[in-house]
Amino acid sequence: MRLRIHRGTREIGGTCIELESEGARILLDLGLPLNAKDLASTPLPAVDGLSVPSASLLGIVLSHGHRDHWGLVPKVNPAIPLIMGQATESIIRAAADFVPDAVALKASQHLEHRKPLQLGPFAITPRLVDHSGFDAYAMEIASGGKRLFYSGDLRAHGRKPKLFDALINDPPRDVDLMLMEGSSLGRLVDDATFPSEEDLEEIFVARFKETEGLALVACSAQNIDRVVTIYRAAKRTGRSLLIDAYAAEVLKATGRDSIPQPAPGWSNLAVYVPQRQRVQLKAKGIAPLVDSYRGFRIWPGQLAESAPRSVMLFRGWMMSDLAQAGALTGARVFWSQWDGYLAEGQAGAALKADCDRRGIPFETVHTSGHAGPSDLKRLAAAVAAKRLIPIHTFERLRFPDLFSNVELANDGEWIDV
Ligand SMILES: [Zn+2]
Ligand SMILES: [Zn+2]
């Protein structure tokens, strides 16, 4: 078995790994680079069979539903089999109705925790991991007597830390080569740790108590761990979580009844369909979707009165609805995503400026979706691969200081496993 990393040896984003064994090939991830302007102007990596069919390319395995791992898939020949988690497929499909230039992907097979799957000469054993993206997998791949372990994106401080512990306590064995992500390197000093989702829950509880009016939390609806954190904090402070139709569809698409959603049995939850979304749903011919939220709806006329008892999953463009409804008295905004989106020219910066104009306090409450250096060390030590190659990192040169058996690779070069 040999591999080449098309993108990711020196950056986060655009992850794509090509594996070859016995004349057959598969791809692990096919992501959109972080600096991509748009899909149309971003070229596919130089992999045979992505545009013009090639019998040797057996499929593309997607570790999880973040765009930096699947964003280029809409450009490939639709005949290529796609393999991903079932919830990943459902969430991508649910989001496609709401997110600009998004598409629904169709999986030919699903990744399932520790259930081996055979693609030609490749035996793939997925491991469900803790990550800010739902239904994310690390993968063990055996072929030609060699074993590869790809970490995908993962962390130990989310809502499913037990998955990380399980991976450490029962790691893949006899791994010849490990591809390990290093997103946090350079973002966190080596001995520091990120706050956990539980820590965040406590912070949100304190902040919601201090907030007189509506608590507005700007976070991705696809960050399911975070939505759960916010829901729990809302409930603990006697507030209801208000979500829009996009969030409602994404939460339903998880297929897990343990995740908050507009379904029987869930209290402290309501669906508010903003004006712009109402228009959008009509234009797409999917307005009847909202019928499924019967009993959970909250209407514009109720927003002001319920504001002190509500937390809203919020995006900047919803501000005009709230202003019109007179629901912003005593409101506070909590930024609960990467600070990079607050940089000049980014959507977050516009929201912050809008809050400043309106005199709405703005504060960041967030934690990383990726393992910090100390957890990565635990992982690398547990797997104890013969060779470890950095991927999904801007700081590959930090790897040799932190981990054993590190080998640095370059984008596009073939490496024997
Ligand atoms: Zn990710
Ligand atoms: Zn990623």
Side-chain angles (χ1 to χ4, degrees):
M1 177 163 52
R2 62 176 192 157
L3 71 86
R4 60 175 166 170
I5 299 168
H6 286 276
R7 200 152 181 164
T9 62
R10 284 173 176 77
E11 69 193 295
I12 297 172
T15 301
C16 179
I17 305 145
E18 182 177 11
L19 294 183
E20 186 185 69
S21 180
E22 298 168 22
R25 294 173 299 128
I26 56 172
L27 289 189
L28 306 181
D29 291 333
L30 182 56
L32 193 66
L34 279 195
N35 57 4
K37 225 171 73 232
D38 52 41
L39 195 57
S41 65
T42 309
L44 285 167
V47 176
D48 259 5
L50 283 183
S51 307
V52 184
S54 158
S56 66
L57 184 63
L58 305 181
I60 305 172
V61 185
L62 304 176
S63 62
H64 65 289
H66 280 155
R67 290 267 185 129
D68 60 320
H69 296 260
W70 68 266
L72 288 179
V73 172
K75 295 190 80 156
V76 308
N77 180 341
I80 302 171
L82 301 177
I83 299 96
M84 68 192 93
Q86 183 153 37
T88 296
E89 181 186 21
S90 303
I91 290 171
I92 291 174
R93 184 184 305 147
D97 285 330
F98 295 91
V99 180
D101 64 61
V103 293
L105 303 181
K106 180 93 191 77
S108 63
Q109 288 184 79
H110 290 132
L111 299 173
E112 283 179 66
H113 183 49
R114 303 203 77 158
K115 194 172 160 194
L117 124 103
Q118 194 76 32
L119 277 181
F122 303 97
I124 304 172
T125 308
R127 296 272 201 135
L128 188 65
V129 293
D130 186 1
H131 180 44
S132 52
F134 196 69
D135 198 27
Y137 295 89
M139 278 168 248
E140 203 180 324
I141 295 151
S143 188
K146 296 287 184 178
R147 306 176 79 79
L148 169 79
F149 184 62
Y150 169 45
S151 70
D153 288 2
L154 80 185
R155 64 175 172 178
H157 59 274
R159 288 248 155 234
K160 306 168 292 291
K162 283 193 182 115
L163 291 172
F164 193 85
D165 294 339
L167 185 57
I168 300 287
N169 293 332
D170 184 13
R173 314 273 168 192
D174 306 318
V175 173
D176 294 288
L177 197 157
M178 178 177 182
L179 298 173
M180 188 174 79
E181 73 125 313
S183 317
S184 69
L185 306 186
R187 290 181 180 175
L188 193 68
V189 292
D190 294 350
D191 54 354
T193 53
F194 289 117
S196 67
E197 288 292 328
E198 276 183 10
D199 295 337
L200 245 52
E201 184 179 325
E202 298 307 319
I203 296 170
F204 276 124
V205 164
R207 295 300 185 274
F208 294 168
K209 280 184 184 161
E210 293 160 10
T211 303
E212 282 170 32
L214 190 51
L216 298 163
V217 185
C219 96
S220 161
Q222 292 192 40
N223 186 343
I224 307 293
D225 273 19
R226 186 62 44 80
V227 176
V228 170
T229 295
I230 296 161
Y231 173 80
R232 289 171 60 100
K235 196 170 177 181
R236 284 173 60 187
T237 51
R239 293 177 179 247
S240 282
L241 179 63
L242 311 187
I243 58 174
D244 69 334
Y246 165 58
E249 290 308 306
V250 166
L251 292 168
K252 280 160 62 183
T254 61
R256 310 279 201 287
D257 53 17
S258 56
I259 302 289
Q261 52 195 285
W266 285 99
S267 62
N268 298 71
L269 188 85
V271 181
Y272 174 70
V273 183
Q275 182 56 29
R276 189 171 120 183
Q277 197 164 61
R278 203 188 308 271
V279 171
Q280 188 187 15
L281 292 174
K282 259 207 182 112
K284 290 215 168 191
I286 50 172
L289 199 72
V290 301
D291 293 344
S292 65
Y293 315 141
R294 199 166 291 132
F296 285 92
R297 295 290 293 277
I298 177 165
W299 306 92
Q302 299 171 293
L303 284 175
E305 190 269 328
S306 63
R309 286 170 284 108
S310 300
V311 173
M312 190 172 188
L313 270 200
F314 165 80
R315 293 191 293 294
W317 57 267
M318 298 176 181
M319 194 75 97
S320 56
D321 270 52
L322 300 175
Q324 212 161 41
L328 290 175
T329 310
R332 291 175 67 165
V333 167
F334 302 96
W335 182 257
S336 198
Q337 39 196 314
W338 184 47
D339 263 344
Y341 298 133
L342 293 174
E344 215 181 298
Q346 300 272 348
L351 170 61
K352 189 167 185 308
D354 192 20
C355 288
D356 289 348
R357 243 186 336 266
R358 296 173 189 271
I360 299 173
F362 183 101
E363 180 189 354
T364 296
V365 181
H366 183 54
T367 194
S368 175
H370 301 273
S374 57
D375 290 326
L376 290 175
K377 274 184 173 173
R378 285 164 60 208
L379 177 63
V383 175
K386 291 192 187 98
R387 295 148 72 203
L388 191 162
I389 292 181
I391 195 166
H392 201 282
T393 184
F394 287 112
E395 301 284 342
R396 67 190 200 129
L397 297 178
R398 295 283 302 110
F399 270 66
D401 295 340
L402 292 166
F403 316 110
S404 309
N405 307 328
V406 173
E407 188 177 306
L408 299 177
N410 298 308
D411 283 357
E413 78 186 6
W414 282 107
I415 298 158
D416 287 318
V417 175

